[in-house]
Amino acid sequence: MNAFDPFVQTGWPGLRARLFHAYFLLSRPMTLGVRALVLDEGRQSVFLIRHTYVPGWQLPGGGVEPGETVRDALERELLEEGNIRITGEPELRSLHFNRRASRRDHVALYVVRAFEQAGPKLPDREIAESGFFELNALPELTTPATQRRIAEVAGREPVSWVW
């Protein structure tokens, strides 16, 4: 056993170490999210969603829950937001710092080319609308970050490490 392990120590030194560790986690938590750029290459289209609580069309995705892998989060978010099931290996394309969300938020962008959709996603409390849009005819209110990610994957822009 390591005498400096805060979970092994007893008494004041151990309690102090555990409190410091808890403070560090609460004061400096890093969050991780996933987004999917789902491409229907046959139709030259991309899947986008429009939330009920924020403006604009964007890529589906969300937060990685405690104990969940990024792959699990990606699969869960695509099912929840688009009735989309991944049937092949998604490509981890890039990792971005999302300074608008917080000072410690990061987003992993995956490109999904092999998938099945079990029918269109009906509107619910979270998703107002969703659908596939041709790459050269995106909805008018597509967010700037979504437009940048599409341009990066298409090779029209270099990857920005900021969301």
Side-chain angles (χ1 to χ4, degrees):
M1 271 189 204
N2 182 348
F4 296 102
D5 185 335
F7 297 103
V8 173
Q9 289 183 358
T10 59
W12 175 243
L15 176 62
R16 187 173 62 182
R18 284 193 302 271
L19 287 173
F20 177 76
H21 184 71
Y23 168 78
F24 182 82
L25 290 176
L26 291 173
S27 67
R28 299 177 152 256
M30 187 181 100
T31 57
L32 178 62
V34 293
R35 292 282 178 153
L37 201 153
V38 180
L39 287 174
D40 183 341
E41 294 180 297
R43 294 188 309 182
Q44 292 291 299
S45 61
V46 62
F47 184 75
L48 300 176
I49 60 167
R50 191 173 64 78
H51 283 107
T52 57
Y53 51 88
V54 291
W57 288 90
Q58 51 196 290
L59 301 171
V64 178
E65 300 295 332
E68 185 177 49
T69 67
V70 289
R71 172 70 185 254
D72 291 341
L74 184 69
E75 290 176 344
R76 176 179 50 75
E77 291 291 343
L78 283 175
L79 278 173
E80 290 175 2
E81 296 185 351
N83 287 335
I84 293 174
R85 187 175 67 78
I86 298 172
T87 59
E89 274 305 307
E91 171 194 348
L92 175 58
R93 178 63 183 200
S94 49
L95 187 62
H96 303 266
F97 173 53
N98 187 5
R99 76 177 78 178
R100 289 189 314 135
S102 80
R103 294 181 305 158
R104 299 194 47 85
D105 187 49
H106 292 81
V107 179
L109 176 67
Y110 284 85
V111 176
V112 176
R113 291 183 169 91
F115 64 91
E116 294 175 346
Q117 188 176 32
K121 169 66 176 163
L122 299 176
D124 60 21
R125 291 186 326 265
E126 181 184 4
I127 306 299
E129 296 179 84
S130 66
F132 282 90
F133 297 89
E134 291 182 22
L135 292 169
N136 60 358
L138 298 176
E140 183 179 331
L141 298 177
T142 301
T143 65
T146 298
Q147 291 180 38
R148 284 192 303 273
R149 301 299 83 78
I150 292 169
E152 290 166 3
V153 169
R156 296 190 311 265
E157 287 186 22
V159 173
S160 168
W161 300 109
V162 176
W163 188 257

